[in-house]
Amino acid sequence: MPQLNPEFFAPQLVWLAITFTILYFLMARIVLPRISGVLENREQRIQSDLEKAEKLKAEADEVLAAYNKAQADARAQAQAELQKAAAAIAAEAAKREEAFAATLAERGAEAEQRIAATKTAAMAELRTIATDVAGAVMTKLTDTKVPPAQIEAAVDSAIGARS
């Protein structure tokens, strides 16, 4: 093999040095700066994406906080409206109960007046009926006619004694 022949070692080492130097300068001046640029662009893009993600996350957190606050405010407002409605309903019910109680009291008073009038009328008729019955009983029992004025006086004294 010619590579392993010691007389070819010197030219091979020279060409090795020349090739290594050329490849080194090509890599150092052309290829590695391009690769480095691509890596830096990639790192910058990743960094900007991370910053965007952080900004979006912060915005999302703000929106979530605003949503939660709005929801809490809406709940509080709904609760206040519910309490207002309950108070209005209770007030309306109280008014209706009061009106119903007043109507019942009025009807009760009217009924009491009718009862009192009926009682008075009944008592007035009772005097007349009692006088007629007493006169009829006296006539049947004693076969005598008692004067109506005397019967009325006896009935009046009996009614007065009871009252």
Side-chain angles (χ1 to χ4, degrees):
M1 287 183 104
Q3 314 77 306
L4 300 177
N5 191 353
E7 74 181 58
F8 295 120
F9 279 169
Q12 284 180 354
L13 287 177
V14 171
W15 280 111
L16 174 68
I18 292 171
T19 307
F20 179 77
T21 306
I22 292 171
L23 285 176
Y24 178 77
F25 282 113
L26 281 175
M27 292 298 283
R29 303 281 184 206
I30 298 172
V31 176
L32 288 179
R34 287 182 185 173
I35 292 173
S36 176
V38 168
L39 289 176
E40 286 176 12
N41 286 341
R42 179 188 255 177
E43 187 175 333
Q44 287 174 355
R45 193 173 342 129
I46 289 171
Q47 191 63 31
S48 72
D49 288 348
L50 287 174
E51 289 173 2
K52 282 182 186 177
E54 287 177 12
K55 286 180 185 177
L56 290 175
K57 184 181 182 300
E59 288 178 15
D61 289 342
E62 289 175 9
V63 168
L64 180 64
Y67 171 74
N68 287 339
K69 185 180 182 306
Q71 193 176 22
D73 291 345
R75 280 189 183 133
Q77 186 177 6
Q79 195 69 3
E81 291 296 324
L82 182 65
Q83 288 176 352
K84 281 182 186 178
I89 289 170
E92 183 66 27
K95 285 180 185 178
R96 287 183 181 181
E97 285 180 18
E98 187 177 308
F100 184 67
T103 304
L104 284 180
E106 184 179 312
R107 286 183 181 175
E110 289 174 2
E112 285 178 10
Q113 288 174 354
R114 283 194 308 263
I115 291 171
T118 305
K119 182 179 177 182
T120 304
M123 289 305 281
E125 287 183 29
L126 180 66
R127 182 176 180 271
T128 306
I129 293 171
T131 304
D132 291 342
V133 168
V137 167
M138 287 297 285
T139 303
K140 288 261 186 193
L141 289 178
T142 61
D143 263 343
T144 59
K145 182 108 169 134
V146 181
Q150 193 179 4
I151 295 174
E152 287 177 10
V155 168
D156 284 341
S157 67
I159 290 175
R162 284 208 166 229
S163 303

